[in-house]
Each structure stands twice: as structure tokens, then as C-alpha cells.
């Protein structure tokens, strides 16, 4: 067993850790991650509006308050949808600006200018004008991959022009603001003269604009991202990286966010249309079923630690249980520790994978409501799961089942570790006693 563990650690340290570190620091990955983080408040607030627009009551309810709320929502649906339409409904605009602004910092460019360039480029290819009206079909999840590519392209083009000093420079006497406006003229022209003709060419050749073409290309990937193997693979990567001390969740969420947002947008459209919710694997699933108490679903472990016979573990449990309620588990990961601790490797990796499997089939069979809202990742799991599913009750039950499963799986490994620590504590106490006796003598 020790030999197998040593080989595993060697592979992690020599192969996985350098590769994960390189991916985690890659400028496009970090820029996409930061862009989504920047857009997150708008998407959360927009999703929260869905609770008021689609209250969690049955259409045939006899409760007077519920019927009044449902009727009010129907009568004023268009007005109530406005905050949602201008937050979640145009999330690609926020993401486009955020990703470009983040990438600009890697090139020492002005983030605001880069964000505006990206926004213009995205509108050029994703907002076709028809009958005097702009289409907003690609402002939500359907245009998310286009927004990412355009943000990267426009920022890299701006950086290229800046590096090669292709700009308009005015005399020093000209005010700084005016001079900066002229400096950006060539990047603006370059973006317009490359993206717009390209969009027209693709439309002429394929009969579809760039966002349509991109979605047709990534459609198999989007479909594959909503399968159980995709869930288990992303969880496995996250857990192994975290066990090695690398923030695996940042890497995994940075890669999965575009797929999650695309799927969530489809789920919200389905709810608005009154049809079945199609997708399972979105961020609410990840946050509230797989990361209960933080990566590794360690909140049940923190509760178990509070009753440990080992003083060290009991102290860590008391320190970690309150942060764990809000999915912050660094006290447990580094205090117990779990990181690089061979006794906890198996449950740390398997607990979220088992819970992912249970939750996936529960949602797939229609036993648990699916996610339709964005929630803050710090929301306690049962509350967050219910909120994400438009305040349905079944996700609460699913969360509790996942917590019990995690506790059962962690328990035997915790007892083995506790026995080891108790033996050490007893040995240390005996050693101190012998030292005290010798000093007295």
C-alpha cells in the first residue's frame, strides 16, 4: 500500500502538478475565469429575479396568496422579465468585456479600452440587423463561445498593433484624453475591417453568421459536457489536483464555465416557455451536490471531527465547521490535514464522485428538480440547491442524502487517522512525563 501511494505521489508531483500549474497560469484560462467572475454578480441578480417571475407554486394551487402571486406574474410578465433580460439575458456582453479586460492586463494594455473593443467586435458578428431591429438571440448562452473568441482576438490584435507601434501619435501638447482617443483609432478600424467582412463571408458561404457556425461546431462538446462521464472526469481532475495542493476547482471551473452557462441559458429558456428543463450539469449542480462544505464535500467530515477523541482533530473540526457551512474548507484541508494525507486520499476523491453519480441519476429520473438559477458559491448547500432549482424542495433532500453518504464514506478513514493520532498523543504525553520525572530526580 505504501509503495502504491509513493508511486501515486510521484506521478502527481512529476507529471500532473507541472501540467496543472501551467494550465492554471495560462493567460487565456485565467482571463476566461476572471471574466466570468466579473460577470457573476449580474447573472446572480438576474437569476434571482426568476423566483419572482416563476414562483414555486403549482398552477392549480388553492392557496389565495399563491394564486394572487401567479396571476400577478402572468399579468406583468413582460415588465418583470426586463431585469432578467438585461442581466442574464445579455450575459455574453458582460463576459466579453470581462475576459478582454482581464487579458489586457497580461499585455499591459488599458482594460477599459480592451473591453470596449471586444464589445464592439462581438456586436459586429453577433447582433445582425434585420427589418431595422437588432437580434439579441446570441446575447445569452448561445453566443458565449463567440464572446470568448472575440474577446481573445480583439485583445491580441490590439496587443499586436501596440507592440509594433502601429498607432497614431499626436504631439505632446495634445491633452492626454484626446491623444488616447486617436491612439485607439487604428485598433478599432482593424477590428471592424477584419471581423465584419469575415462574418459576411461566412454567412455567404455557409448561410449562417459566426455565432451560428461556432455553435454548430461546439454542439457535440456542449452535449457531451452534460453527461455523467464528463461530470466524473471534471470531479476527478479537481480532486486529484487539490490533493496535490493545487487549486483544482479554479482550473476545472475555468474550463467548464462556458458549457455551464450555455446549458443554464437553455434551462432558463425552457422554464420561461413552460417546457421540461433539459440540462443537468450546470454550476448549481457542481456547487451544491459535489462541493458541500467545499471541495471534497468536507462539511460532514467537519461535523465528525467535532466529536473526535483526538484533540487536534476536534479543534480543527470546531474551527472548520462554520466556514464549511459557506463552502470554505481550507481549515479542514490544511489543518487536518487532507492535502497529501494518504489516509484521506480515497474518500476525498470518491465522495464527490459517488455523490455526483447519485445526484445525476436522481435528476435524470426526474426525482429532483433541475437547476435554473445562478447562486453564490458560498450559499449553504441545502439552501443553495433549493434556490438554484427555483426553491424546489427535492434538492434539499438530495443534499442531505449526499451529506449522509459523505459522512459514511469519511467515517472509517477518519477513525483510522484518529487512532494514529491518539497513539502519537499518548506517546508524546508519556515522553513528556518521563522528561518531567528525570528533571525532578
Amino acid at each position: 500500500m505504501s509503495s502504491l501511494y509513493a508511486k501515486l505521489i510521484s506521478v502527481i508531483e512529476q507529471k500532473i502538478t507541472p501540467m496543472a500549474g501551467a494550465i492554471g497560469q495560462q493567460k487565456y484560462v485565467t482571463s476566461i475565469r476572471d471574466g466570468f467572475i466579473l460577470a457573476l454578480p449580474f447573472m446572480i441578480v438576474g437569476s434571482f429575479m426568476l423566483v419572482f417571475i416563476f414562483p414555486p407554486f403549482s398552477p392549480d394551487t388553492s392557496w389565495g396568496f399563491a394564486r394572487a402571486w401567479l396571476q400577478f406574474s402572468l399579468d406583468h410578465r413582460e415588465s418583470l422579465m426586463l431585469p432578467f433580460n438585461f442581466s442574464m439575458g445579455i450575459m455574453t456582453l458582460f463576459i466579453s468585456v470581462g475576459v478582454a479586460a482581464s487579458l489586457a492586463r497580461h499585455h499591459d494594455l488599458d482594460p477599459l479600452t480592451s473591453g470596449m473593443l471586444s464589445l464592439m467586435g462581438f456586436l459586429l458578428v453577433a447582433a445582425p440587423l434585420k427589418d431595422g431591429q437588432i437580434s439579441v438571440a446570441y446575447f445569452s448562452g448561445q453566443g458565449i463561445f463567440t464572446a470568448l473568441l472575440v474577446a481573445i482576438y480583439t485583445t491580441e490584435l490590439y496587443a499586436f498593433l501596440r507592440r509594433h507601434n502601429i498607432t497614431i501619435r499626436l504631439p505632446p501638447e495634445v491633452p492626454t484624453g484626446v491623444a488616447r482617443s486617436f491612439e485607439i483609432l487604428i485598433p478599432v478600424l482593424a477590428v471592424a475591417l477584419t471581423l465584419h467582412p469575415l462574418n459576411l463571408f461566412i454567412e455567404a458561404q455557409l448561410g449562417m453568421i459566426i455565432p451560428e457556425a461556432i455553435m454548430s461546431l461546439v454542439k457535440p462538446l456542449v452535449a457531451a459536457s452534460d453527461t455523467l462521464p464528463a461530470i466524473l472526469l471534471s470531479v476527478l481532475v479537481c480532486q486529484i489536483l487539490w490533493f496535490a495542493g493545487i487549486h483544482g476547482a479554479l482550473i476545472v471551473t475555468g474550463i467548464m464555465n462556458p458549457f455551464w452557462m450555455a446549458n443554464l441559458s437553455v434551462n432558463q429558456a425552457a422554464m420561461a416557455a413552460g417546457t421540461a428543463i433539459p440540462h443537468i450539469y450546470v454550476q448549481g449542480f457542481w456547487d451544491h451536490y459535489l462541493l458541500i462544505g467545499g471541495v471534497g464535500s468536507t462539511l460532514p467530515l467537519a461535523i465528525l471531527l467535532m466529536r473526535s477523541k483526538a484533540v487536534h482533530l476536534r479543534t480543527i473540526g470546531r474551527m472548520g465547521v462554520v466556514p464549511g457551512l459557506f463552502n470554505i474548507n481550507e481549515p479542514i484541508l490544511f489543518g487536518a490535514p487532507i492535502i497529501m494525507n494518504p489516509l484521506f486520499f480515497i474518500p476525498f476523491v470518491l465522495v464527490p464522485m459517488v455523490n455526483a453519480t447519485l445526484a445525476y441519476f436522481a435528476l435524470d429520473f426526474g426525482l429532483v428538480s433541475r437547476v435554473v438559477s445562478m447562486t453564490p458559491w458560498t450559499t449553504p448547500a441545502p439552501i443553495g440547491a433549493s434556490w438554484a432549482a427555483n426553491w424546489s424542495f427535492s434538492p434539499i433532500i438530495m443534499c442531505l442524502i449526499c451529506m449522509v453518504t459523505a459522512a459514511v464514506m469519511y467515517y472509517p478513514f477518519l477513525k483510522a487517522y484518529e487512532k494514529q493520532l491518539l497513539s502519537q498523543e499518548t506517546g508524546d504525553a508519556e515522553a513528556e512525563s518521563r522528561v518531567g520525572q528525570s528533571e525532578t530526580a
Side-chain angles (χ1 to χ4, degrees):
M1 180 68 181
S2 59
S3 175
L4 179 62
Y5 176 73
K7 291 180 180 177
L8 175 64
I9 294 301
S10 176
V11 170
I12 291 174
E13 290 180 343
Q14 296 178 18
K15 304 292 185 182
I16 297 177
T17 298
M19 181 176 63
I23 294 174
Q25 296 301 316
Q26 212 278 334
K27 63 180 180 180
Y28 299 130
V29 173
T30 58
S31 298
I32 291 172
R33 181 193 68 209
D34 294 343
F36 276 97
I37 292 173
L38 181 66
L40 191 60
F42 301 96
M43 293 189 287
I44 289 175
V45 171
S47 294
F48 187 72
M49 294 303 299
L50 291 176
V51 177
F52 299 98
I53 301 168
F54 303 99
F57 305 120
S58 172
D60 56 356
T61 180
S62 58
W63 185 24
F65 174 76
R67 291 204 60 80
W69 191 345
L70 287 168
Q71 190 60 47
F72 178 82
S73 175
L74 286 173
D75 294 341
H76 303 278
R77 180 64 50 85
E78 189 172 332
S79 298
L80 292 173
M81 284 292 290
L82 196 62
F84 172 82
N85 289 334
F86 285 100
S87 51
M88 274 296 297
I90 58 169
M91 64 178 175
T92 49
L93 303 186
F94 301 120
I95 291 169
S96 177
V97 172
V99 172
S102 177
L103 183 57
R105 297 186 181 95
H106 291 274
H107 295 291
D108 294 323
L109 301 174
D110 177 51
L112 180 58
T113 301
S114 299
M116 297 296 284
L117 273 175
S118 175
L119 179 60
M120 185 195 75
F122 178 74
L123 292 174
L124 276 174
V125 301
L129 187 67
K130 187 175 182 181
D131 298 329
Q133 294 183 335
I134 291 177
S135 171
V136 297
Y138 296 101
F139 286 9
S140 58
Q142 293 297 306
I144 199 163
F145 295 99
T146 303
L148 298 179
L149 293 174
V150 168
I152 292 171
Y153 169 73
T154 56
T155 307
E156 290 293 344
L157 179 59
Y158 181 24
F160 174 83
L161 296 173
R162 184 75 174 270
R163 278 196 308 271
H164 292 81
N165 203 26
I166 304 173
T167 184
I168 298 175
R169 294 196 178 277
L170 297 181
E173 294 80 14
V174 176
T176 304
V178 176
R180 185 174 297 171
S181 297
F182 275 86
E183 286 178 5
I184 199 66
L185 277 177
I186 291 181
V188 170
L189 280 171
V191 169
L193 294 177
T194 54
L195 285 182
H196 185 49
L198 176 63
N199 199 35
L200 293 175
F201 175 77
I202 290 177
E203 186 176 15
Q205 296 298 315
L206 303 178
M208 58 181 75
I209 59 176
I210 286 177
E212 290 179 282
I214 291 174
M215 281 305 297
S216 66
L217 287 174
V218 302
K219 190 174 181 179
L221 290 176
V222 174
S225 71
D226 197 35
T227 60
L228 182 58
I231 298 174
L232 295 179
L233 178 61
S234 57
V235 173
L236 178 64
V237 170
C238 176
Q239 298 306 114
I240 289 178
L241 293 180
W242 255 116
F243 188 76
I246 300 168
H247 203 310
L250 286 180
I251 296 173
V252 171
T253 55
I255 295 171
M256 292 303 300
N257 262 325
F259 300 97
W260 287 340
M261 291 300 104
N263 289 340
L264 179 62
S265 178
V266 174
N267 281 5
Q268 291 176 338
M271 186 177 69
T275 58
I277 309 299
H279 294 296
I280 292 175
Y281 194 32
V282 293
Q283 188 159 358
F285 184 96
W286 169 272
D287 286 341
H288 305 307
Y289 297 132
L290 313 185
L291 274 66
I292 301 174
V295 64
S297 291
T298 55
L299 179 58
L301 176 61
I303 296 171
L304 292 174
L305 290 176
M306 293 175 66
R307 301 178 60 85
S308 174
K309 296 177 182 178
V311 175
H312 168 70
L313 295 181
R314 193 163 61 246
T315 303
I316 294 299
R318 291 170 180 172
M319 289 174 55
V321 71
V322 174
L325 290 172
F326 302 96
N327 302 320
I328 299 169
N329 65 342
E330 276 76 5
I332 303 295
L333 293 179
F334 296 100
I338 291 178
I339 303 300
M340 301 299 286
N341 186 337
L343 281 173
F344 281 117
F345 175 76
I346 292 176
F348 184 68
V349 172
L350 290 185
V351 162
M353 296 184 73
V354 170
N355 283 343
T357 305
L358 293 175
Y360 180 86
F361 284 113
L363 271 69
D364 189 45
F365 292 153
L367 303 176
V368 177
S369 301
R370 301 187 182 189
V371 173
V372 292
S373 295
M374 284 285 294
T375 55
W377 64 271
T378 51
T379 309
I383 298 173
S386 178
W387 176 1
N390 202 28
W391 296 107
S392 176
F393 185 73
S394 55
I396 297 177
I397 302 299
M398 189 70 247
C399 269
L400 295 177
I401 291 173
C402 289
M403 291 178 69
V404 171
T405 303
V408 169
M409 293 182 67
Y410 271 119
Y411 184 76
F413 297 92
L414 169 61
K415 298 307 290 184
Y417 186 46
E418 181 185 72
K419 184 177 180 180
Q420 185 182 97
L421 291 182
L422 286 173
S423 176
Q424 292 176 1
E425 289 176 5
T426 302
D428 291 343
E430 291 176 352
E432 289 178 4
S433 177
R434 286 195 295 270
V435 170
Q437 290 174 1
S438 62
E439 289 177 351
T440 304

